[in-house]
Amino acid sequence: MESGPIVIVGAGQGGLQVAASLRQAGYEGELTLIGNEPGLPYQRPPLSKAYMQDGNPGALKLRAAEFYDKQQIRYLPETSVTAIDRDDGRIATTSGELDFGHLILATGASNLRPPIPGLDRTLDLRTLADADKLRERATGDRRFAVIGGGFIGLEFAAVASKFGLDVVVAEAAPRLMARAVSPQMSELFLKKHRDLGSTVLLGDPVSAIDDRGIALVGGTHLEADEILLAAGVRPNTVLAEAAGLDCANGVTVDAQLLTSDPRISALGDCACFPDSRSGLRIRLESVQAATDHARHIAARLTGKQPDPYNALPWFWSDQADYKLQIAGLAQPDDRAEAVDEHVVFRFDAEDRLTAVETVNNARVHMRTRKLLAGGETVGPDTARDLLS
Ligand SMILES: Cc1cc2nc3c(=O)[nH]c(=O)nc-3n(C[C@H](O)[C@H](O)[C@H](O)COP(=O)(O)OP(=O)(O)OC[C@H]3O[C@@H](n4cnc5c(N)ncnc54)[C@H](O)[C@@H]3O)c2cc1C
């Protein structure tokens, strides 16, 4: 059992979860949670969904204020960790220094800022402050351009079109959500967004932003009053890199989520970990990964000897009346078989089921999660049983 003190850098989904899980698992030592945002830790997924519509910050809070006192979690908001001294086991923050016995990096990710001229005119959607600013602007007859047809851009587009706003989505890739879903799912969502009234342009990257809107490489100019930049994220690794920890597409961790320094763990959006199924090193931007990583680290630090990390990835996205759910993790080249209008199976080169994408079909999603979590190889015939 780690005797502490344990310090967590980043008070988001994973940071808060690891603090809660440590207490739940019986860790009684000093526990400090440091976050650079104001207020209590909150969940991000609703920012582009329910919160965009209702603006209710109370519904976002991960835990009530009393929780921190009761669990003896020292929470430091609006505090940035600026350096890690690994030799002395100490960190520097904007409000002083702190010693650690074990340090957990839960620094998340930041919006990717491609080198497009005029980018300073864009809005972001990563934090509660971003969402508030965006909500203020998403009124009246303002015309919106969204740069990026990934999950966040499309979730916003769905809400904005519901508000009756004029929305154009400009995606550089030839299809929507191309990194994460099959071509069939991209097509289904393209139709949905066009039916909702959004203009969606594919395969034509944004080349510049000006006072009147956005220009595309192909020569089109799109008029817009507001521009949302939703072109993906990059892991927050500055602190880890400066401390000399191994980093490559995130902070590199092993199957126990330990960094190259055995006194430092990393989790969630900022961590690049070995995927037990594919054997590849991956980084996942999902609530599931952040919370499962957190639980794993808490188990290890409280003396349990967890097996190598092998939680099954799963993800969801709400866009208008479509709930997309993905169980498992497919590689881009995995074969995609649409077995129903709203269900797509993905298989690897050896015909093993790697993921199932569903729309408004929680039953098949949950059954897939159960089946794939078992770790057995699932071929096309067994996969079909998921539909019965
Ligand atoms: C709009 C939006 C919608 C999303 N929708 C979904 C969804 O539908 N489903 C899903 O699974 N996932 C969704 N996600 C992703 C999900 O929210 C993230 O994967 C998850 O929050 C990752 O948790 P984390 O703890 O790794 O990072 P975060 O929750 O991002 O927390 C990291 C925190 O660390 C802070 N920090 C960074 N550096 C420092 C430092 N040096 N000092 C102090 N603090 C620091 C950051 O400011 C941040 O507050 C969405 C994300 C966004 C932005």
Side-chain angles (χ1 to χ4, degrees):
M1 164 99 58
E2 180 61 50
S3 56
I6 296 178
V7 176
I8 305 162
V9 188
Q13 190 87 46
L16 189 263
Q17 181 65 53
V18 76
S21 296
L22 277 165
R23 286 296 187 228
Q24 211 174 7
Y27 172 70
E28 289 175 350
E30 262 181 64
L31 187 51
T32 306
L33 176 65
I34 308 174
N36 57 9
E37 293 187 63
L40 292 173
Y42 60 92
Q43 18 171 358
R44 296 184 200 285
L47 296 179
S48 51
K49 307 175 182 78
Y51 186 76
M52 203 36 67
Q53 302 187 58
D54 64 27
N56 174 12
L60 299 175
K61 279 194 195 87
L62 282 161
R63 298 287 184 147
E66 308 79 72
F67 171 80
Y68 301 86
D69 279 349
K70 215 167 141 196
Q71 295 295 320
Q72 294 188 303
I73 296 167
R74 182 178 171 213
Y75 171 49
L76 306 177
E78 293 182 85
T79 305
S80 279
V81 176
T82 51
I84 304 167
D85 179 341
R86 288 165 51 199
D87 293 335
D88 288 349
R90 186 174 305 148
I91 53 159
T93 82
T94 44
S95 60
E97 295 196 339
L98 271 170
D99 291 331
F100 65 83
H102 197 87
L103 185 70
I104 302 168
L105 298 176
T107 50
S110 302
N111 281 355
L112 191 76
R113 304 195 74 75
I116 302 173
L119 211 65
D120 51 326
R121 294 193 179 89
T122 60
L123 297 161
D124 285 313
L125 181 46
R126 182 81 207 156
T127 63
L128 178 54
D130 294 337
D132 285 338
K133 194 164 168 189
L134 197 52
R135 286 192 84 248
E136 267 170 38
R137 308 274 185 98
T139 53
D141 54 2
R142 299 192 72 69
R143 296 162 305 176
F144 266 84
V146 178
I147 302 178
F151 292 115
I152 292 174
L154 292 176
E155 287 173 4
F156 173 78
V159 176
S161 63
K162 191 173 171 189
F163 287 168
L165 299 170
D166 189 54
V167 187
V168 177
V169 178
E171 167 55 54
R175 60 185 182 89
L176 295 175
M177 303 179 283
R179 276 192 308 135
V181 303
S182 61
Q184 292 92 329
M185 269 300 155
S186 298
E187 200 53 40
L188 188 68
F189 277 82
L190 177 63
K191 183 173 181 316
K192 171 53 93 180
H193 283 277
R194 287 186 172 154
D195 288 349
L196 289 168
S198 297
T199 302
V200 182
L201 300 172
L202 300 170
D204 199 354
V206 175
S207 58
I209 295 158
D210 56 42
D211 320 337
R212 295 181 303 110
I214 58 176
L216 306 184
V217 167
T220 312
H221 188 276
L222 300 160
E223 300 282 316
D225 304 302
E226 306 289 351
I227 298 151
L228 172 65
L229 178 67
V233 301
R234 57 172 179 74
N236 290 328
T237 55
V238 174
L239 202 56
E241 280 177 51
L245 296 174
D246 290 349
C247 292
N249 180 32
V251 185
T252 305
V253 293
D254 65 13
Q256 290 296 341
L257 307 171
L258 268 176
T259 69
S260 49
D261 183 327
R263 282 215 288 178
I264 307 179
S265 302
L267 61 76
D269 282 13
C270 75
C272 185
F273 64 99
D275 175 31
S276 62
R277 290 174 179 79
S278 65
L280 301 170
R281 282 202 155 270
I282 57 169
R283 200 175 58 73
L284 294 175
E285 293 151 20
S286 73
V287 166
Q288 171 274 323
T291 51
D292 283 335
H293 285 173
R295 291 186 181 116
H296 189 96
I297 292 170
R300 166 166 48 76
L301 292 176
T302 51
K304 300 178 188 67
Q305 293 285 316
D307 289 337
Y309 180 80
N310 72 345
L312 182 80
W314 54 268
F315 190 85
W316 82 96
S317 171
D318 296 332
Q319 299 173 36
D321 57 346
Y322 273 10
K323 178 178 270 299
L324 168 68
Q325 291 176 297
I326 305 170
L329 186 68
Q331 297 307 314
D333 292 341
D334 285 0
R335 178 167 68 82
E337 188 184 328
V339 289
D340 170 302
E341 197 199 344
H342 287 174
V343 181
V344 177
F345 287 172
R346 308 290 307 266
F347 295 98
D348 66 12
E350 273 100 58
D351 247 356
R352 290 176 301 209
L353 186 74
T354 52
V356 174
E357 303 162 356
T358 56
V359 170
N360 298 345
N361 196 333
R363 183 167 180 268
V364 169
H365 172 72
M366 292 309 295
R367 292 183 77 176
T368 310
R369 272 169 56 179
K370 209 166 155 199
L371 183 68
L372 290 179
E376 311 274 305
T377 299
V378 179
D381 291 339
T382 316
R384 290 209 163 259
D385 294 345
L386 289 165
L387 301 172
S388 59

